[in-house]
Amino acid sequence: MASSSSSGSSSSSSSLAIAVLILIVTTAESFKSPFHPRDLLPHLPRQVSWPLLNSLYGAADLLPTFIGTASPGNDTVDWKGACFYENSAWLEFHNKSGSEFGGGTLHIKADKAHSWTCMDLYVFATPYRVTWSWYFISRAHTVEFSAWDGKAEYDYVKNKGVSIFLMHAGMLGTLQALWDVFPLFTNTGWGESSNLAFLEKHMGATFDVRPEPSWVTNVTTDEIQSGDLLAISKIRGRWGGFETLEKWVSGAYAGHSAVALRDTEGKLWVGESGNENEKGEDVIAILPWEDWWTFEQTKDDSNPQIALLPLHPDVRAKFNVTAAWEYARSMEGKPYGYHNLIFSWIDTVSDNYPPPLDAHLVASFMTVWSKMQPDYAANMWNEALNKRLGTQGLDLSDVLVEVEKRGSSFDKLLAVPEQDDWIYSDGKSTSCIAFILEMYKEAGLFGSSANSIQVTEFTIKDAYMLNFFENNASRLPKWCNDNDDVKLPYCQILGKYRMEFPGYNTMKPYSHMNEQCPSLPPKYHRPEDC
């Protein structure tokens, strides 16, 4: 009885707290209150505060909003913040340090706070540095740059200024967003449920549980042929978290892929770009089916969901197996295609970035990462950006300066289409799906359009939308979707959750496809012939 009484008291307190909070929310905007309900959430009982925080903030709140750039020759930048509704900034050059190119002071004036307890959190960036600050009091603030990083930063800031980003959720929201995004990368049940919840919220994806006997299909390999696509969705751990973010920005309902290959003796193999070798490197590998399938069932801790997408008989008849093998062997052992990974996603100046993500934020992220991991930065984007400029050896800051000199912009540079014939320092670069589609190209599946299609511009979504796959359920393998009460137009062979591929098998190849396609969630509208 005592436990029941205590529970009832706690429930009453929670209900009262929620009622008071709702009342405050309905009136807070009508006048400047001494506090805002969001500022008090941490002080409420945890069973009350966390559900409310989850409704107000999400992992996307980790993304700053680009405010503008402050430079010495420009007018004042004005904006409305999350806490302070009237803000302005301007940049003043000086030489307090006595250095060759001097430094500067960024002046920030914050005013008209919506409550007495809120604060605004900002990030300030140039191609050479990133710093941050937060403001709690209505007054003039300053950010000091004691000395510019040589002539390059001096010239850049003089012409382009210092970029200002607002963490729109503020300190509390940012901490909550970090709490939301952290589990995406954990190899736990919590991590798995967090990834599913993120995709449901931000993409509108569904994860219906399949009848348990069908979670692992008793595959007989006789009906798997060369060119059949394996679409894979990882939902926990390091790769699960990465794929979740990749799916969100691209609209793809799978994050990895592999391809079946049968040799002249009839043995079945799997070609995969992104297979981890003994040194821990992600490379292109050709594996016996038995080894690959056993690993996915027993050793892949990302809890993969896997679907087999068989080629249509007419398409299979065109598939030149010899040419496919020649291409696969030429790529075996080469590094995974990190060089063009992000560029298959970015096709437009602004319509591939889920708000508040934009090219300014991408540039700032690259700047931070380049300082922390310069070798990775060169692999991930420096070489690719140089390809787009027709230059060699420029690092990120040099690239940004060069773009400015040419009278262009970084967002336009990011949107320049990748070219399949570009050769990087470690050879041709193909992500998991680009490796497969390049093989399709060599095998003759793109026909007369092959020379005018850059498959390194394709995401996994673009690939499974191609009308290359079986459209007659009666021709699918006998074990396809075995023991599942929903018959899919493809064969899900592994996974607890039913996989979905919106737009599956609907698009005929055409010249320059997927070079200018938007990808904004949650609808991911795709114009014709983009």
Side-chain angles (χ1 to χ4, degrees):
M1 291 294 290
S3 175
S4 175
S5 174
S6 174
S7 176
S9 174
S10 175
S11 177
S12 298
S13 299
S14 298
S15 299
L16 177 60
I18 292 172
V20 171
L21 197 59
I22 291 172
L23 178 61
I24 293 171
V25 169
T26 59
T27 59
E29 299 303 321
S30 62
F31 60 91
K32 180 182 175 181
S33 60
F35 56 85
H36 192 278
R38 285 176 295 191
D39 305 328
L40 297 186
L41 285 175
H43 305 290
L44 296 175
R46 191 181 188 281
Q47 64 268 32
V48 178
S49 61
W50 280 100
L52 287 168
L53 280 168
N54 281 323
S55 67
L56 290 171
Y57 303 114
D61 293 308
L62 280 173
L63 302 176
T65 298
F66 175 66
I67 296 300
T69 55
S71 60
N74 288 351
D75 295 332
T76 300
V77 181
D78 299 298
W79 71 94
K80 179 180 179 180
C83 171
F84 296 96
Y85 286 170
E86 292 186 7
N87 303 275
S88 58
W90 64 98
L91 184 65
E92 172 193 12
F93 270 24
H94 60 64
N95 197 359
K96 297 176 182 178
S97 63
S99 59
E100 182 178 359
F101 297 101
T105 300
L106 179 63
H107 296 270
I108 305 284
K109 184 177 181 181
D111 201 5
K112 299 292 190 290
H114 68 68
S115 79
W116 294 348
T117 55
C118 67
M119 65 179 67
D120 274 340
L121 179 64
Y122 289 95
V123 175
F124 309 102
T126 78
Y128 303 84
R129 73 181 77 211
V130 174
T131 187
W132 65 277
S133 188
W134 55 271
Y135 304 125
F136 181 72
I137 301 172
S138 293
R139 65 174 177 83
H141 305 269
T142 59
V143 179
E144 289 293 336
F145 301 92
S146 58
W148 303 119
D149 187 13
K151 185 177 187 301
E153 186 177 28
Y154 170 81
D155 287 341
Y156 184 90
V157 174
K158 182 179 179 181
N159 293 312
K160 295 290 289 184
V162 175
S163 296
I164 304 171
F165 299 89
L166 168 66
M167 301 298 293
H168 218 279
M171 190 74 76
L172 178 62
T174 300
L175 291 174
Q176 168 59 18
L178 283 169
W179 178 260
D180 282 349
V181 82
F182 169 75
L184 298 180
F185 294 87
T186 62
N187 192 11
T188 62
W190 177 38
E192 180 173 313
S193 61
S194 296
N195 278 291
L196 300 185
F198 185 99
L199 294 171
E200 287 174 342
K201 178 179 179 180
H202 294 285
M203 290 184 68
T206 58
F207 296 92
D208 297 328
V209 177
R210 307 165 72 211
E212 191 163 355
S214 66
W215 290 6
V216 181
T217 299
N218 185 21
V219 175
T220 55
T221 60
D222 293 348
E223 295 174 279
I224 302 176
Q225 301 297 324
S226 290
D228 290 349
L229 180 67
L230 292 152
I232 305 163
S233 178
K234 300 174 184 282
I235 56 176
R236 66 191 300 175
R238 173 172 60 109
W239 284 112
F242 173 81
E243 283 193 13
T244 288
L245 299 178
E246 177 190 6
K247 293 167 188 172
W248 172 48
V249 298
S250 70
Y253 279 65
H256 187 51
S257 57
V259 65
L261 284 169
R262 195 173 289 278
D263 65 20
T264 54
E265 297 179 357
K267 181 177 175 61
L268 186 63
W269 300 77
V270 174
E272 182 178 37
S273 177
N275 186 274
E276 189 172 305
N277 64 16
E278 294 178 353
K279 298 178 181 179
E281 301 165 332
D282 293 315
V283 299
I284 297 172
I286 304 173
L287 310 165
W289 168 271
E290 295 80 8
D291 294 352
W292 182 85
W293 183 230
T294 299
F295 175 85
E296 295 301 336
Q297 291 181 79
T298 62
K299 297 181 181 180
D300 191 340
D301 57 9
S302 68
N303 192 6
Q305 319 288 297
I306 303 177
L308 175 76
L309 317 183
L311 291 180
H312 187 279
D314 294 343
V315 176
R316 193 183 307 284
K318 302 176 186 176
F319 192 86
N320 187 327
V321 178
T322 301
W325 269 106
E326 287 178 359
Y327 171 76
R329 291 299 187 196
S330 74
M331 296 295 289
E332 188 175 15
K334 290 187 177 179
Y336 174 80
Y338 286 110
H339 293 294
N340 48 40
L341 180 62
I342 68 170
F343 297 100
S344 63
W345 151 50
I346 302 174
D347 292 342
T348 69
V349 169
S350 60
D351 291 338
N352 296 111
Y353 304 103
L357 187 63
D358 62 10
H360 292 94
L361 182 57
V362 171
S364 293
F365 169 80
M366 288 179 174
T367 299
V368 174
W369 195 260
S370 295
K371 298 297 183 184
M372 295 171 58
Q373 297 283 352
D375 293 337
Y376 280 100
N379 198 29
M380 287 288 287
W381 48 72
N382 282 2
E383 281 198 57
L385 293 172
N386 274 271
K387 290 287 186 186
R388 284 159 172 77
L389 283 171
T391 55
Q392 290 184 347
L394 300 184
D395 62 17
L396 178 62
S397 54
D398 294 332
V399 165
L400 293 171
V401 171
E402 180 65 23
V403 170
E404 172 67 15
K405 286 180 180 178
R406 298 187 184 189
S408 187
S409 61
F410 190 63
D411 50 7
K412 291 180 181 177
L413 184 67
L414 291 174
V416 172
E418 183 81 6
Q419 301 297 303
D420 293 351
D421 61 359
W422 280 347
I423 306 297
Y424 290 89
S425 59
D426 50 7
K428 280 195 172 183
S429 186
T430 56
S431 64
C432 61
I433 198 61
F435 167 70
I436 296 168
L437 294 179
E438 191 68 45
M439 180 189 296
Y440 282 4
K441 232 185 183 185
E442 295 294 325
L445 296 194
F446 286 96
S448 59
S449 299
N451 292 334
S452 60
I453 290 178
Q454 308 300 327
V455 297
T456 43
E457 279 290 301
F458 283 52
T459 66
I460 295 177
K461 175 186 178 181
D462 299 327
Y464 64 64
M465 289 180 70
L466 287 168
N467 64 346
F468 286 176
F469 306 106
E470 182 59 84
N471 60 4
N472 186 338
S474 67
R475 289 197 295 253
L476 292 173
K478 297 179 178 62
W479 40 259
C480 186
N481 302 311
D482 194 24
N483 297 318
D484 197 343
D485 53 2
V486 174
K487 301 305 178 186
L488 301 169
Y490 38 82
C491 307
Q492 183 164 349
I493 59 177
L494 186 66
K496 174 181 178 180
Y497 305 101
R498 191 169 292 115
M499 299 177 74
E500 56 180 329
F501 302 120
Y504 173 68
N505 204 27
T506 58
M507 190 170 300
K508 182 179 179 181
Y510 58 88
S511 296
H512 302 290
M513 70 184 302
N514 300 316
E515 292 183 8
Q516 297 180 333
C517 293
S519 59
L520 292 178
K523 295 184 178 181
Y524 301 98
H525 172 67
R526 185 188 190 282
E528 290 187 9
D529 300 328
C530 67

